[in-house]
Amino acid sequence: MSKTGVWIVGARGNVATTAIVGARAIAHGEADTTGMVTAREPCSRLDLPSVERLIFGGHDIRRTSVLETARTLSENGIPSRETVDAVREDLEAVDERIEVGTAVNCGNAVTDLADETLREPSVEDVVEQIRSDYRSFARENDLDRIVVVNAASSEPPLSNPERYDTLSAFEGAMADDDSDLPASSLYAYAALVDGRPYVNFTPSTGSALGGLVELADKNGVPHMGRDAKTGETLVKSALAPMFASRNLRVRSWEGHNILGNADGEVLEDEENEAGKLETKGGVLEGILDGDFHNRVRIDYAPPLADWKTAWDDIRFDGFLGTRMKMQFTWEGSDSALAAPLVLDLVRLVAFADERGESGLQPQLASFFKQPLGVDEHDLSLQFDRLREYANSHTGE
Amino acid sequence: MSKTGVWIVGARGNVATTAIVGARAIAHGEADTTGMVTAREPCSRLDLPSVERLIFGGHDIRRTSVLETARTLSENGIPSRETVDAVREDLEAVDERIEVGTAVNCGNAVTDLADETLREPSVEDVVEQIRSDYRSFARENDLDRIVVVNAASSEPPLSNPERYDTLSAFEGAMADDDSDLPASSLYAYAALVDGRPYVNFTPSTGSALGGLVELADKNGVPHMGRDAKTGETLVKSALAPMFASRNLRVRSWEGHNILGNADGEVLEDEENEAGKLETKGGVLEGILDGDFHNRVRIDYAPPLADWKTAWDDIRFDGFLGTRMKMQFTWEGSDSALAAPLVLDLVRLVAFADERGESGLQPQLASFFKQPLGVDEHDLSLQFDRLREYANSHTGE
Amino acid sequence: MSKTGVWIVGARGNVATTAIVGARAIAHGEADTTGMVTAREPCSRLDLPSVERLIFGGHDIRRTSVLETARTLSENGIPSRETVDAVREDLEAVDERIEVGTAVNCGNAVTDLADETLREPSVEDVVEQIRSDYRSFARENDLDRIVVVNAASSEPPLSNPERYDTLSAFEGAMADDDSDLPASSLYAYAALVDGRPYVNFTPSTGSALGGLVELADKNGVPHMGRDAKTGETLVKSALAPMFASRNLRVRSWEGHNILGNADGEVLEDEENEAGKLETKGGVLEGILDGDFHNRVRIDYAPPLADWKTAWDDIRFDGFLGTRMKMQFTWEGSDSALAAPLVLDLVRLVAFADERGESGLQPQLASFFKQPLGVDEHDLSLQFDRLREYANSHTGE
Amino acid sequence: MSKTGVWIVGARGNVATTAIVGARAIAHGEADTTGMVTAREPCSRLDLPSVERLIFGGHDIRRTSVLETARTLSENGIPSRETVDAVREDLEAVDERIEVGTAVNCGNAVTDLADETLREPSVEDVVEQIRSDYRSFARENDLDRIVVVNAASSEPPLSNPERYDTLSAFEGAMADDDSDLPASSLYAYAALVDGRPYVNFTPSTGSALGGLVELADKNGVPHMGRDAKTGETLVKSALAPMFASRNLRVRSWEGHNILGNADGEVLEDEENEAGKLETKGGVLEGILDGDFHNRVRIDYAPPLADWKTAWDDIRFDGFLGTRMKMQFTWEGSDSALAAPLVLDLVRLVAFADERGESGLQPQLASFFKQPLGVDEHDLSLQFDRLREYANSHTGE
Ligand SMILES: NC(=O)c1ccc[n+]([C@@H]2O[C@H](COP(=O)([O-])OP(=O)(O)OC[C@H]3O[C@@H](n4cnc5c(N)ncnc54)[C@H](O)[C@@H]3O)[C@@H](O)[C@H]2O)c1
Ligand SMILES: NC(=O)c1ccc[n+]([C@@H]2O[C@H](COP(=O)([O-])OP(=O)(O)OC[C@H]3O[C@@H](n4cnc5c(N)ncnc54)[C@H](O)[C@@H]3O)[C@@H](O)[C@H]2O)c1
Ligand SMILES: NC(=O)c1ccc[n+]([C@@H]2O[C@H](COP(=O)([O-])OP(=O)(O)OC[C@H]3O[C@@H](n4cnc5c(N)ncnc54)[C@H](O)[C@@H]3O)[C@@H](O)[C@H]2O)c1
Ligand SMILES: NC(=O)c1ccc[n+]([C@@H]2O[C@H](COP(=O)([O-])OP(=O)(O)OC[C@H]3O[C@@H](n4cnc5c(N)ncnc54)[C@H](O)[C@@H]3O)[C@@H](O)[C@H]2O)c1
Ligand code: NA
Ligand code: NA
C-alpha cells in the first residue's frame, strides 16, 4: 500500500507515546502485535498499510519529549526499559516532527499543563497554521496520505453543539472569530477541509459537529469517533447485552474507576470529567431497557500511575422478583489498552480512504464509546459488522 | 395455539419446581415474566403457546412433593412464601401427575437420593414404561403436544458415546439389554420415538448420541440441548468474545463456584462433577485462541443454599506484553436463573414442532453451554441467530 | 439492676427503629442476641440492665411512625414481616413517647425531611424544652435512669469547635442565643446538665465539645462517642494493624461505599457528607505510618435500600519494593449492624453510671470511628480494653 | 552482637533465595527493610544481629543454583534484574555453602524434584551427616551461633505423631531405623541436639514432636514454628477477631488460592496439600465460635508464577438473623511476603538464644499459622505479645 503518515494531536501524551513506541518496537522485532485488532482475523486478511512503515508526527502543548514520556511510563513497567532503549532514536526523530498546538477551550486543567500554545491573532489563523503543519509533515516525509488522530486531553463538553450543525454555520463562526469553538474541532476541520482522514480517539467534540460531518461528506473523506472504548466501558458493552437478551432487569449499575496518570489528573477537574462521563454513561442506556441507577465515578489515585482499576457493581432482578448481582474489577494499563487501537484505526481509516469510502465509518463502531452515526452498542454485534466489512472486501 | 404439556424429568427438583411455581404464579397474576427470554423482543412477536396454559407432569425418583420443594426453596427467599401459598393447589395437582422414573447409570450420588426407581426386568421394559407414562399424560390431559424436558440431576459422563452413533446401534443395545445406556438417553429415546419434542437442560447425555439425532431426523421431531447456560458460563460466553476480538491473549481463566443446593451436593461427587465440568470448560475453548490455563471448580457450601457464587479470575496479555487482569463475581439464585429458560425452551420447541421444523434447533444455541450442532459460543451472535429466526417467522 | 430508659434522638430513623424492634423481639422470644457485643464474652459476665426491660422514647422531626419505618425496612427483608407483626403494639406504644425535636444547624438535607421542629424563641428555651421532655419520660415511666442516645441524621461539621472549649464559653453562647450551636450539642447539654448518661452514635458534634466534656466531668456523668463503627471503617480498624505490624507500606487506600437508605440520601448532600468523611478517614491515619493516598467515597444508590456495599482497594509495598494489593467488599444491612450496638452502648453506659464511673468511657473505644479521648484505633486492642474492663469488674 | 549464621533447609527455593537476595541487597544499600517486622517498632529497639552481617548456607536436594532461582523469580519482577546483578557474587558464594540434604518421607512430588539426596545406610547416619554439615558451616565461617530454618517444600502430614511424644521414643525410633521419621524432624533434631536454635517456617512436622520439644527444653535451646503466616491466613487472623468480638455468627468461610510457583506445584499433590490445609484451616477455628463451613482450596495456575491470589468469601449472620457477607482478594508475591520474616525470625531467635531464653518462643506467635504452644490466633493480640516482649527487654 501507499505511504501513510500518522499525525497525533497530543503526541507527547501516554496513549500517543505508547502507540509510537509499539509501532517502532514491532518494526524492530522487539514486540509482537498482541492487542491489535487488525493483526487478527478478520482484519488481518485486508491489505492494510503496514505498521512497520507508519511515519509519526503531531501537535502538543507540552515540551516534555516523547522519549521522556516513554521513560516515565516505563517506571511502571510498560513499556519495558529494554523496549524504550531499542526505539530511542526513533522517538527522538518523532519529536522533531511535533509542532505547537492550540489549547483553546480545553479548560483550565489543560492550560495549566501547557508550556506553549498557538497564539495566532484569530481562529482562522490558528486553523491556517494547523493546516500548514499537516501539509509540511506530508511533504517533508513524502507521504501519500496522512491520518490525523486526536489523542489530546479531554476537553470540557461544548454547550449547544447544534449551533454548528451546518458547514456554513461552522465556517461562519470561524469567520466571526467565535471564541467558543473547541480546539478539537479546529484540528478536525483543518484535516477534513484538505481531504485528510480523521479519527477522534477522545470524548472531545472533534468531528462530531453537524457542520464537520457535512464537510467530510462533501470532501469525500472518511472520519470516525468518539472516545475509544478500552476498559470499563468495553466490558460494559460486552456484558450488558447478556442482561438484555435474558430479560434480566438491571436496577443499578455503579462504576467506580481509580487511575493515577495525567488523564486521571485532568479528569479530576470536574469540567473535563463531564465530557468523559457523558460518553461512558450512554453505552448502558443504549443497550438496556427501562430505568435504572447508572453512575460512573472517576477518582485520581496517584500511586496507581498508568494502571486503571475499574470496579462495577450491578444489581438486577430475575424470575419471581429475585434480586441478584454481579461485580467485576478490571485492571489494566490504560495506555497499553488504548495504543494498539490507535494503530488499528489509522490502518482501517487509511484503507477506507484508499478505497474512496467517505464520511462516517460505521464498521469501526466497536472501537468507540460513542460511535458516531451508530446506535448499536453491543460489542459482539459491532464487531460482527467489522467482520462483514472485511468479508465484503475479501470476497467472502 | 394448541394445548401443550410439559413433562419434566426431575419434576420435584429445584429447577423444575421453580419453573412450575413461576408458570402458575404468572397464570394467577402473582408474578411477571422478568427473566423469560420469550417475554421480550424478538421472541415476544412469535405466536408461542401461552405460559398460563401449560400443563405440567413428570418423572422423579424422590417422594418429596413439589410443594415441599417449593417450601424449602422459599426458606431462602425464592419463591416468596406468598407466591407458594398462591399456587399451592396447582402444585398439589402437578404432584398427581408425577411418575416414578429410572436411575440407571446415574451414579451413586443420585441413587442415594432415590426413594424409589423403575425396576423393570429389562431396558426395553423400562423404555416401554416411560413411553406409556408420556402417553397417559397426553391422553388424560387432552394435550395436542407434550415437550419432554430433562431437568434431572447430572449423570456421570458416558464413556465411548460413539458406540451409539447410529439408530440401529442404539436400538441393538436396547435389545441386548446393554447395561451402560444412561437414564437420560432412555427418556430421550422414549420421547423421540413417538415424535415428542425433547429438551436436555442438563449436562447428561440425553439426545446427544448419534443414534438419537438420527431418530429425531427420521421422525421429524425437534430436539435440543445440552446443559442450560445460566450463571458463570453465561457470563463467560458474553465476556470471552471481548478478549478474542481485541486480540488480548488470555493466559489463565480460573473459575471457582460455591453453591449450597442439592445440585451442589450431587456435583460434590467427583463422578457426576466430571460431566458438568466438561460442558462448562468447552465454552472458552470455543471462543479463545491459543493455549491457556482453564480450570473450573465447584464447591459445595451448604449455608449458601440455592444461591450460587461464582468467582472468576482472568489474566491476559495485551500490547507490549502488558499483563492485565479481570475478576468477577456473580451471585444468583441458581433455580431462578434456570427456571424461566425451561419455559422459554418449551415454548420455542413447541413452536418449531407446530411448524414442522425438525432435528436440532440451532436458533436455540444461546440457551446452552454445549449447543448441539453449533460451533458458535459468542452469546451475542448466538442470540442474533434467535433474532433472525424470529424475524424470518414474522416476515421482518 | 435498676429500671433503665433509652431516649433516642432520631427515634423514627432506621437505626433507632431496628434497635427498638430488636429489643422488643428479644423480649418476645422472637429473636436472639446475635450481633450484640454484650451478649457474649466478656461483657456477658457483667450485671447489665436486661435488654428485655429497656423502655424506649425519643425525639424526632418527622411524623412517620416507628411502625411505618419498620414496615419500610421490612420490604428489604430486615426485620422480617413476622417480627414486625410480633412487636407491632410495642412500637405503637413507643411512638406515644416520641416528642418533636430541634433541627437547628442540621443542614438543608435534614430540614427538608422535617415535618415539624421545635420553634422556641431562644436557644435556652429549646434546651429547656428538651430537658423537660427527658424529665417527663423518666417520671411517667418510673425510670431509675435514662440514657440519651443520638441516632439522628448526620449534621454538617461545626466550624471552629474550639470556641466552645469551656463550659462557661458554651453556656455563654447559649445565653447569647448563639445561632451556630448545633442541635446535637443542645441535646447532649440537656442530658449532661441533669446527670443523664449520653452516647453519640453519629458523626455530629454532640458531647465532643470541650465545654461538654467539662460538664460531664463536673456532674459525674458518663458519656461517649463519636460515630459508631459498623461497616467499612470497622473492617479498616481490623485490617490496617496487619499492614502496620508487618511493616508493609500502604501507598493507597481507596474506599467506595454505595448505599440506598435515607442516611445515604442525607450524605449525598455534600455539607453533611463532610462530617462523615472526617470521622471515617481518621482511622487509617491513626494506625498506619507515613503518607498515603486515602480517600472515601459515599454514593447514594436507591435500589440498594438499607444495604450498604463497601469496596476498598489497598495498594501496598513489601520487601524489595514489591507492589501488592488487597481488595475487599463488605455487604451488610446498615441498620442491622448498627442497632445492636445501640443496645450494647446503653447497657454499658448505664452500668458505668450505676458504678459512679463518669466522664469519657475509653473501654468503649471499639464501638466508635472517632473514640473520644482515645488514640488507639486497632480494633483488637480496643476490644482488649473492654475485656480488661469486664475482668476488672468481675474480679478476673 | 555476635556473628550469626543462617542455615536454610531448602536453600535454593524461592523463599530462601528471596531472603538471601534481600539480606545482601540491604547490605549493599540496594534495598530497604520494608516488610521486615524487626525493622520497625517495637523490635527495632532491640539489639538484634544486623541483617547486613548474616552469613547464609543450607541444604537442598536440587542442583539449580541460588542465582538461577533468583533469575527465574526476576522474570516475574521480584527481585528486579538490577538487584540480582548487584548481589550476584554473594549468591555464588552462598551456593558454595549448600550441601545435599535428605528427602525421606517428603512424598513423591518432592522426590520427583530431587537431583540428589542423602543416601546414608541408616537414619542415624543421615542425622550424623546433617550435624556434621551444620558444624562445618559454623566452623568454616567462624560463627558464634547458627540458626537452622526449615524452608523446604511441605511434607505430607505425619500420621500418629504422638508416638514420638518423648525424647526417648524419638531417639529409640532413630536407633530402630524407623522408616516413618520425616526429614524435617531429622533436620530439627540435628540442630537441637547440638544446641542450635531452630525455626520451622513450613507446615511440615519439624520440631513440633513432643520428643523434640523435650530435647529443646533439656538443652536450653530456643525454637519455634510452624508454617509462616504470610497471605490469606494472615488476613484471616486479622479479620476473624472482628466477627468474634462483634458477636457476628460466621456461617461459611470459603478460601480459594491460586498460585503458580513450585510451592503450588508441590501442593497440587494431594498428599502434600493435606499438611498445608491442616495448618491453614485451624486459625479460624481458634478464633470463631460455633460450627461453620470452613474450606480452603489451593489451585496451581502456572501463569501466575510466584504471585498468589487468594479469594475469600465469608457469610455471616447478624442482628435479627440478617445474612451478610464479606469477600476479599489478596494478591501478593508469595516469596516477597515470606522472605523478610525468615530474616526477622532468625534475628529474634538468635536474640533469645543469646539471652538464654530456651524452649518454645510464644512472643513469636504472630509469625505462624500454627504457633506452637500458643492458643491465641488474633493477630493483633499476638503482636501485642511481641510488643510486651520487646518492652520487657528495653525496660519499658
Ligand atoms: N488511555 C485510554 O484508555 C483512553 C481511552 C479512551 C480515550 N482516551 C483519551 O485519550 C486522550 C489521551 O489520553 P492520555 O492518557 O494519553 O492522556 P495524557 O494526558 O497522557 O496525554 C494527553 C496529551 O495531550 C496533550 N494536549 C492536551 N491538550 C492539547 C491540545 N489542545 N493540543 C495538543 N496537545 C494537547 C497533552 O500535553 C498531553 O501530552 C484523553 O482524552 C483520553 O480521555 C484514553
Ligand atoms: N440450576 C441451574 O442453574 C442449572 C443450569 C444448568 C443445568 N442445570 C441442571 O439441571 C438439573 C437439575 O438441577 P436442580 O438444581 O433442579 O437439581 P435438583 O437436585 O434440585 O433436582 C434434580 C431432581 O432430579 C431428580 N432425579 C435425579 N435423577 C433422576 C432420574 N434419573 N429420573 C428422574 N428424576 C431424577 C431428583 O430426585 C431431583 O428431584 C441438573 O442436572 C443441573 O446440572 C441446572
Ligand atoms: N447505620 C449505620 O451503620 C450507622 C453507623 C454509624 C453511624 N450512623 C449514624 O446514625 C445516624 C442515623 O442513621 P439512620 O440510618 O438511622 O438514619 P435515618 O435517616 O434513617 O434516621 C435519622 C432519623 O433522625 C431524625 N432526625 C434528623 N435530625 C433530627 C434532629 N435534629 N432531631 C431529631 N431527630 C432528627 C430523622 O427524622 C430520622 O428519623 C446517622 O447520623 C448515621 O450517620 C449509622
Ligand atoms: N511463600 C510463602 O508465603 C510461604 C509461607 C509459609 C510457608 N511457606 C513454606 O515455605 C516452604 C518453601 O516455600 P517455597 O515457595 O520457597 O518453595 P520452593 O519449592 O520454591 O522451595 C523449596 C525448596 O526446598 C527444597 N527441598 C525440598 N525438600 C527438601 C528436603 N527434604 N531437604 C532439603 N531441601 C528440600 C526444594 O528443592 C526447593 O529448593 C514451603 O514449605 C512453603 O509451604 C511458604
Ligand atoms: Na457479548
Ligand atoms: Na485485628
Side-chain angles (χ1 to χ4, degrees), chain B residues 48-367:
Chain B
L48 305 174
S50 84
V51 177
E52 290 84 347
R53 296 186 53 224
L54 298 173
I55 308 290
F56 296 90
H59 282 117
D60 210 300
I61 57 171
R62 291 181 306 136
R63 282 206 208 92
T64 331
S65 70
V66 171
L67 181 58
E68 283 173 79
T69 302
R71 292 219 159 115
T72 306
L73 282 169
S74 184
E75 278 162 32
N76 291 294
I78 303 300
S80 71
R81 202 180 300 198
E82 290 76 15
T83 306
V84 178
D85 288 347
V87 302
R88 190 172 52 77
E89 288 179 26
D90 297 354
L91 300 189
E92 282 163 355
V94 170
D95 243 284
E96 300 292 306
R97 298 189 293 258
I98 297 180
E99 305 298 333
V100 174
T102 174
V104 62
N105 290 314
C106 291
N108 292 333
V110 168
T111 31
D112 287 357
L113 292 177
D115 295 312
E116 203 177 2
T117 61
L118 281 184
R119 294 263 165 253
E120 312 304 311
S122 72
V123 169
E124 289 201 320
D125 293 327
V126 166
V127 168
E128 230 26 76
Q129 181 57 50
I130 296 172
R131 290 174 70 179
S132 143
D133 292 337
Y134 294 164
R135 204 157 40 229
S136 312
F137 174 56
R139 192 182 49 233
E140 286 163 20
N141 296 282
D142 203 23
L143 302 169
D144 299 307
R145 166 183 299 107
I146 76 170
V147 179
V148 174
V149 180
N150 179 22
S153 314
S154 305
E155 298 167 359
L158 172 68
S159 57
N160 303 109
E162 62 285 357
R163 55 186 152 153
Y164 308 117
D165 251 4
T166 62
L167 179 55
S168 71
F170 188 91
E171 292 188 332
M174 288 203 335
D176 294 352
D177 212 17
D178 177 337
S179 68
D180 284 356
L181 288 168
S184 63
S185 296
L186 302 183
Y187 288 117
Y189 177 86
L192 300 173
V193 75
D194 291 328
R196 306 193 194 279
Y198 172 86
V199 172
N200 186 4
F201 207 79
T202 81
S204 305
T205 309
S207 68
L209 296 173
L212 296 185
V213 173
E214 184 182 334
L215 174 61
D217 287 340
K218 189 182 124 198
N219 284 4
V221 48
H223 68 121
M224 193 60 186
R226 181 182 187 182
D227 206 5
K229 192 159 80 176
T230 48
E232 190 198 33
T233 317
L234 176 69
V235 180
K236 281 177 170 169
S237 72
L239 267 183
M242 175 184 79
F243 295 102
S245 67
R246 281 291 165 93
N247 201 10
L248 298 166
R249 200 163 72 78
V250 171
R251 299 167 70 238
S252 169
W253 193 312
E254 174 104 13
H256 184 63
N257 294 272
I258 49 180
L259 73 171
N261 57 19
D263 189 32
E265 203 175 350
V266 167
L267 291 174
E268 179 95 342
D269 194 290
E270 290 195 12
E271 249 190 325
N272 303 54
E273 190 180 17
K276 193 76 178 188
L277 296 184
E278 227 166 67
T279 65
K280 278 177 89 85
V283 169
L284 291 182
E285 252 97 40
I287 298 174
L288 298 171
D289 305 334
D291 275 349
F292 57 100
H293 170 80
N294 180 6
R295 168 142 36 182
V296 186
R297 283 264 183 210
I298 306 180
D299 267 7
Y300 176 52
L304 272 73
D306 189 51
W307 284 83
K308 182 159 70 176
T309 294
W311 176 69
D312 280 49
D313 177 279
I314 308 153
R315 310 282 161 140
F316 59 99
D317 281 356
F319 200 50
L320 291 169
T322 313
R323 296 189 178 175
M324 305 190 259
K325 78 163 169 292
M326 179 172 183
Q327 297 178 324
F328 69 81
T329 54
W330 166 270
E331 298 210 47
S333 155
D334 228 19
S335 308
L337 285 162
L341 306 186
V342 169
L343 305 177
D344 288 325
L345 286 164
V346 164
R347 298 177 83 197
L348 288 164
V349 165
F351 178 88
D353 191 42
E354 176 116 346
R355 268 141 204 84
E357 296 162 6
S358 65
L360 292 170
Q361 302 291 313
Q363 78 278 8
L364 304 180
S366 69
F367 290 92

Side-chain angles (χ1 to χ4, degrees), chain A residues 237-239 241 378-380, chain B residues 237-239 241 378-380:
Chain A
S237 72
L239 267 183
D378 178 327
L379 179 68
S380 289
Chain B
S237 72
L239 267 183
D378 178 326
L379 178 68
S380 289

Side-chain angles (χ1 to χ4, degrees), chain D residues 173-195:
Chain D
M174 287 203 337
D176 294 353
D177 210 18
D178 178 337
S179 68
D180 284 355
L181 287 168
S184 63
S185 297
L186 303 183
Y187 288 117
Y189 177 86
L192 299 173
V193 76
D194 292 327

Side-chain angles (χ1 to χ4, degrees), chain A residues 76 251-252 254 256 258 268 293 295 297 299-304 309 311 313 315 323 325 327 331, chain C residues 76 251-252 254 256 258 268 293 295 297 299-301 303-304 309 311 313 315 323 325 327 331:
Chain A
N76 290 293
R251 297 166 72 240
S252 169
E254 173 106 13
H256 185 61
I258 48 179
E268 179 95 342
H293 171 81
R295 170 142 35 182
R297 281 264 184 211
D299 268 5
Y300 175 52
L304 273 73
T309 295
W311 176 68
D313 177 278
R315 311 282 160 138
R323 296 188 180 177
K325 77 164 172 289
Q327 297 177 325
E331 295 209 49
Chain C
N76 291 294
R251 298 167 71 241
S252 169
E254 173 106 13
H256 184 62
I258 48 180
E268 179 94 343
H293 170 81
R295 168 142 37 183
R297 283 265 183 209
D299 268 6
Y300 175 51
L304 273 74
T309 295
W311 176 70
D313 177 277
R315 310 282 159 140
R323 296 190 179 175
K325 79 162 170 289
Q327 297 177 325
E331 296 209 48

Side-chain angles (χ1 to χ4, degrees), chain D residues 44-119:
Chain D
S44 54
R45 279 184 272 121
L46 298 176
D47 180 29
L48 305 174
S50 84
V51 177
E52 291 83 348
R53 296 188 50 225
L54 297 174
I55 308 291
F56 296 90
H59 282 117
D60 209 301
I61 57 172
R62 291 181 307 135
R63 283 208 207 89
T64 330
S65 71
V66 171
L67 182 59
E68 282 173 79
T69 302
R71 292 220 159 115
T72 306
L73 283 169
S74 183
E75 278 162 31
N76 290 293
I78 304 299
S80 70
R81 203 179 301 197
E82 290 76 13
T83 307
V84 178
D85 288 347
V87 301
R88 192 171 52 78
E89 288 177 26
D90 297 354
L91 300 189
E92 282 163 356
V94 170
D95 242 285
E96 299 292 307
R97 299 189 291 260
I98 296 180
E99 306 298 333
V100 174
T102 173
V104 62
N105 289 313
C106 291
N108 291 333
V110 168
T111 29
D112 287 357
L113 291 177
D115 294 314
E116 203 177 359
T117 62
L118 282 184
R119 294 263 165 254

